[in-house]
Amino acid sequence: MIRFAVIGTNWITENFIKAARKVEGFELTAVYSRTKERGQLFADQYNAPFVYTSLEEVATSSEVDAVYIASPNSHHANQAILMMNNGKHVLCEKPLASNTAEVERMITCAKENDVLLMEALKTTFVPNFNEIKKHIKKIGTVRRYVSSYCQYSSRYDRYKAGEQLNTFDPQFSNGALMDLGVYCVYPLVALFGEPKQVLGQSYMLESGVDGEGSLLLKYDQMEAVIMYSKISNSYLPSEIQGEEGSILIDHMNPPKGLKIQYRNGTSEQISLPQDEHSMLYEIEEFISLVKNNEKESNINTYENSLITARILEEARMKMNIVYPADRANKD
Ligand SMILES: NC(=O)C1=CN([C@@H]2O[C@H](COP(=O)(O)OP(=O)(O)OC[C@H]3O[C@@H](n4cnc5c(N)ncnc54)[C@H](OP(=O)(O)O)[C@@H]3O)[C@@H](O)[C@H]2O)C=CC1
Ligand SMILES: O=C1CO[C@H](CO)[C@@H](O)[C@@H]1O
């Protein structure tokens, strides 16, 4: 069994545990929370025997092999590095960190400590992403990747009513690009690698994060158009346009319905049924890597995480979205 601790007690950690319980080899042994009461409540709910309120305790615990990190983005790097320096494998939520320098430090740390580090960006692990890769040659030379993830945040009304919420706070390296745009960027990188140029613009909220934005990325023979928002919904599918046809993708998180629309007028459904607990696939990958003593995923590779971090950072710098974590790197 791989004995997990979880950091963060929000709904995404609950989803993680529900999905992980379907994966052979998963065991929840510890919950970390900043407060004992919250940690205990969470641990009781999910039958975790240990509750820690100190990160050092998690890192040095002999009861823990691996840590799932679902804390605010600005905490990912320091928490992951502390865990890895103490020999723990780390599955870390997206985006892997606040910026490229932090991602580089995390990768170096994983290599130095001979542990596994993997970004929990689930789109690239689900069966339907494999179907995209399998069928993409059918659409001929790809000319455009159009990807959209626009979802009116369940917390936006509270923000507008004056509440200070982590999800709209730059102190935590948050905002629409980091939160949702990354679901469009990472698959682009997994499919097409690093772009030659990144342009972007966004609408900034008063709190100092982007509420929505768009990126335009240039490749040698194609371009990518990416739209993301936490302040409006979009009902448009995403699409990969080729000279012979297009792959239509219903959602980026995760893709469920896929169709090829050919230029000659015919079409083909290519989607597969997927488990409703869509985090299951990334957890299967992580546990299988740990069991096989492998230190890097060949799906969410270090290179993919690094390129994604470079794109997010370059776009942010062009849009003047600067986090405290960026300034800290320059001190
Ligand atoms: N894969 C997916 O589908 C999703 C991924 N995410 C990712 O998960 C991560 C967490 O997101 P989200 O839950 O919205 O984040 P929150 O800001 O709600 O924080 C998550 C947890 O971190 C702890 N926390 C909250 N504030 C602080 C703070 N100031 N300092 C330290 N710890 C804090 C809390 O746990 P406690 O009080 O117990 O310490 C909380 O439950 C992000 O990286 C996000 O991108 C989020 C949603 C979905
Ligand atoms: O990763 C994510 C996907 O879904 C959430 C909302 O539904 C986001 O807020 C989150 O950060």
Side-chain angles (χ1 to χ4, degrees), residues 11-12 73 93-95 120-122 149 151-155 167 174-175 178-180 182-183 230 253:
W11 62 269
I12 191 57
N73 302 334
E93 264 307 335
K94 43 53 64 177
L121 188 298
K122 66 172 171 276
Y149 192 174
Q151 185 173 295
Y152 189 94
S153 168
S154 56
R155 290 172 267 194
T167 197
N174 276 331
M178 298 291 271
D179 198 30
L180 301 183
V182 64
Y183 283 101
K230 283 173 77 69
N253 177 32

Side-chain angles (χ1 to χ4, degrees), residues 57-237:
E57 272 184 295
V58 183
T60 56
S61 170
S62 57
E63 306 293 339
V64 174
D65 305 309
V67 183
Y68 167 68
I69 299 181
S71 55
N73 302 334
S74 56
H75 288 274
H76 291 181
N78 284 346
Q79 291 177 345
I81 286 170
L82 174 64
M83 298 305 143
M84 292 190 288
N85 275 336
N86 285 277
K88 309 299 186 218
H89 305 289
V90 169
L91 176 61
C92 184
E93 264 307 335
K94 43 53 64 177
L96 194 52
S98 298
N99 52 43
T100 316
E102 288 187 355
V103 170
E104 282 169 349
R105 280 209 297 278
M106 291 163 84
I107 294 170
T108 302
C109 180
K111 288 179 178 165
E112 281 172 3
N113 289 285
D114 205 25
V115 293
L116 170 65
L117 167 69
M118 198 179 95
E119 182 166 356
L121 188 298
K122 66 172 171 276
T123 301
T124 37
F125 293 104
V126 298
N128 280 314
F129 191 73
N130 276 337
E131 290 306 290
I132 295 174
K133 288 198 287 193
K134 200 165 100 191
H135 291 276
I136 199 165
K137 54 185 176 303
K138 293 183 177 173
I139 63 168
T141 306
V142 173
R143 293 303 185 193
R144 186 179 285 119
Y145 168 99
V146 186
S147 178
S148 146
Y149 192 174
C150 302
Q151 185 173 295
Y152 189 94
S153 168
S154 56
R155 290 172 267 194
Y156 187 43
D157 288 337
R158 284 165 58 200
Y159 166 82
K160 284 196 283 190
E163 258 187 78
Q164 202 177 338
L165 297 163
N166 285 5
T167 197
F168 293 110
D169 189 339
Q171 185 192 329
F172 298 110
S173 309
N174 276 331
L177 176 62
M178 298 291 271
D179 198 30
L180 301 183
V182 64
Y183 283 101
C184 305
V185 173
Y186 203 108
L188 170 75
V189 170
L191 291 169
F192 303 110
E194 187 151 23
K196 296 270 182 295
Q197 193 188 40
V198 180
L199 300 173
Q201 57 186 26
S202 53
Y203 169 75
M204 297 300 287
L205 299 177
E206 265 179 33
S207 65
V209 304
D210 51 332
E212 63 95 55
S214 304
L215 305 184
L216 194 55
L217 304 104
K218 184 176 159 49
Y219 287 81
D220 276 340
Q221 296 187 41
M222 58 168 277
E223 62 174 356
V225 182
I226 287 177
M227 293 162 283
Y228 48 89
S229 176
K230 283 173 77 69
I231 58 173
S232 63
N233 284 326
S234 168
Y235 306 95
L236 293 173

Side-chain angles (χ1 to χ4, degrees), residues 253-266:
N253 177 32
K256 287 183 189 154
L258 302 176
K259 181 175 120 174
I260 305 182
Q261 182 64 56
Y262 292 101
R263 188 163 55 83
N264 68 10
T266 60

